Amino acid sequence: MTTHPFLDLAPLTATRFASIEDRVARLLDTGQDVVIMQGEALLPLEGAIRGTAGPGTTALNVVTGPYGQTFGDWLRDCGATVVDLAVPFHAAATAAQIREAFTEHPEIDFVSLVHAEAATGNTNPVAEIGEAVREQGALFYLDAVASVGAEPVLPDAWGVDLCVIGAQKAMGGPAGVSAVSVSERAWARMAANPGAPRRSYLSLLDWKERWIDGGRRALPHAPAQLEMLALEACVERIEAAGLDTVIARHTTAAAATRAGVLALGGGLEPYVYEAEDAAPVATTLRAPSGIVASELVASALAADPALPLAAGGGALAKEMIRVNHYGAAATREAVLGSLVALGAALADRGLVVDTEGARATVANFS
């Protein structure tokens, strides 16, 4: 029989699994329970909403991109009354908007927010928004899948009750496992929710009762061994480099991209208007008038398929370009390569670009 080192590993023990959870908790600087779920981040994102929301819930759903739209759909499907706060994709939500929503709808008891929307390139000021949510005592649900590793994620300090992360973006890790930190208030909300999933892959309560309450001695089911080991290696790498260093790489890549695009010209411009609203995990660009973004990206990738470039999703494919400078691509080289390829594609369409100006601008960032 042919063997392979990935296939001949000893089973992952409960002790090892728990130790990885502890390291993820330290990464988030949280004393809350952390559950590593055995699937991509959509699993805990949906499970957390279905566990805590129901017909008696009035939810403020902040929409700054496609994931916020998805959360609203899940909340409505649970029977919750949903108040959508739609924010233009080129901007960020503000604490003032949250307070205004509470004034208009004092019955709101649940707030859902995406920290950074990699799909639209914006990031929201969670610390300030969390303060506004705490003033009203509402449960605070945060999608930090894209932001973790690219900017600080601090559930305890920000008053986040359900904080979901994934490793596949800025952390540079696997996509097949994800994690959620859960506050005591969130556990209590789930326990009181008759519609919370039970005996289900979506059930966080099953994990609490069978894993956490049992002292983390027996796993509820066979773990995704390779993904868990990859997550452990990913966290080890961040610990070795230092989280601040990893965050700084993403901050620098984002700043270099934004400045480099302005130097490149050719009609490209940042999609998110204000730099303070732009996510460190990815920079979105607006294509020049008359140029289809997806076609421009296809031309750039034809020159180098390894570049971290993508067109916007859905209707945004016509106007939005994403430079996904996260994880291994959070480097000056990846940023420069992306801008040079986009510049060449623009030049092929008759637009005037300053590639050398972009090179010099990006070179100033270290």
Side-chain angles (χ1 to χ4, degrees), residues 18 28-29 40 43 47 83 162 200 205 218 221 258 284 292-293 329 344:
L28 298 176
D29 194 20
E40 198 271 339
L43 174 61
V83 178
L162 295 154
S200 164
L205 281 176
H221 51 74
R258 196 173 180 91
T284 49
V292 177

Side-chain angles (χ1 to χ4, degrees), residues 5-298:
F6 288 165
L7 303 178
D8 299 323
L9 297 169
L12 192 71
T13 65
T15 299
R16 184 82 169 271
F17 193 104
S19 73
I20 299 171
E21 283 186 336
D22 290 340
R23 294 175 89 159
V24 172
R26 288 195 294 273
L27 182 72
L28 298 176
D29 194 20
T30 183
Q32 297 177 1
D33 290 326
V34 170
V35 178
I36 297 180
M37 300 193 76
Q38 306 296 280
E40 198 271 339
L42 283 172
L43 174 61
L45 285 169
E46 183 174 358
I49 281 181
R50 295 194 181 278
T52 51
T57 302
T58 300
L60 174 61
N61 180 49
V62 184
V63 182
T64 56
Y67 280 97
Q69 294 169 334
T70 296
F71 301 159
D73 292 340
W74 286 340
L75 287 161
R76 290 182 179 90
D77 191 51
C78 291
T81 300
V82 181
V83 178
D84 283 321
L85 172 57
V87 178
F89 290 175
H90 58 70
T94 67
Q97 290 173 310
I98 304 302
R99 290 189 172 95
E100 182 179 352
F102 276 120
T103 299
E104 295 176 1
H105 301 276
E107 69 277 14
I108 290 170
D109 61 357
F110 184 102
V111 175
S112 55
L113 177 72
V114 179
H115 187 183
E117 285 266 14
T120 49
N122 50 27
T123 191
N124 291 300
V126 183
E128 291 87 347
I129 289 173
E131 183 177 351
V133 174
R134 285 197 301 275
E135 290 168 1
Q136 302 298 319
L139 205 73
F140 192 12
Y141 163 100
L142 183 69
D143 171 356
V145 174
S147 56
V148 64
E151 51 189 309
V153 175
L154 301 167
D156 292 10
W158 296 342
V160 178
D161 296 288
L162 295 154
C163 182
V164 177
I165 68 167
Q168 70 267 32
K169 287 190 167 64
M171 289 176 65
V177 289
S178 49
V180 54
S181 65
V182 187
S183 72
E184 288 300 323
R185 292 198 322 147
W187 284 131
R189 180 79 70 98
M190 285 184 225
N193 180 11
R198 302 306 306 270
R199 294 167 296 282
S200 164
Y201 206 56
L202 287 171
S203 177
L204 283 167
L205 281 176
D206 287 356
W207 275 95
K208 177 171 171 36
E209 292 181 1
R210 298 177 59 190
W211 172 241
I212 296 172
D213 292 349
R216 298 194 300 177
R217 289 190 294 268
L219 287 160
H221 51 74
Q225 172 148 308
L226 295 179
E227 289 81 0
M228 287 296 296
L229 294 175
L231 176 60
E232 182 181 49
C234 163
V235 175
E236 284 179 350
R237 186 168 58 187
I238 292 172
E239 291 171 346
L243 179 58
D244 289 345
T245 298
V246 176
I247 289 174
R249 283 204 297 263
H250 288 83
T251 302
T252 299
T257 303
R258 196 173 180 91
V261 163
L262 295 175
L264 180 67
L268 279 181
E269 58 185 25
Y271 194 92
V272 177
Y273 292 171
E274 302 295 332
E276 65 182 13
D277 296 337
V281 71
T283 298
T284 49
L285 309 174
R286 192 179 300 275
S289 176
I291 301 293
V292 177
S294 59
E295 295 175 358
L296 192 69
V297 168

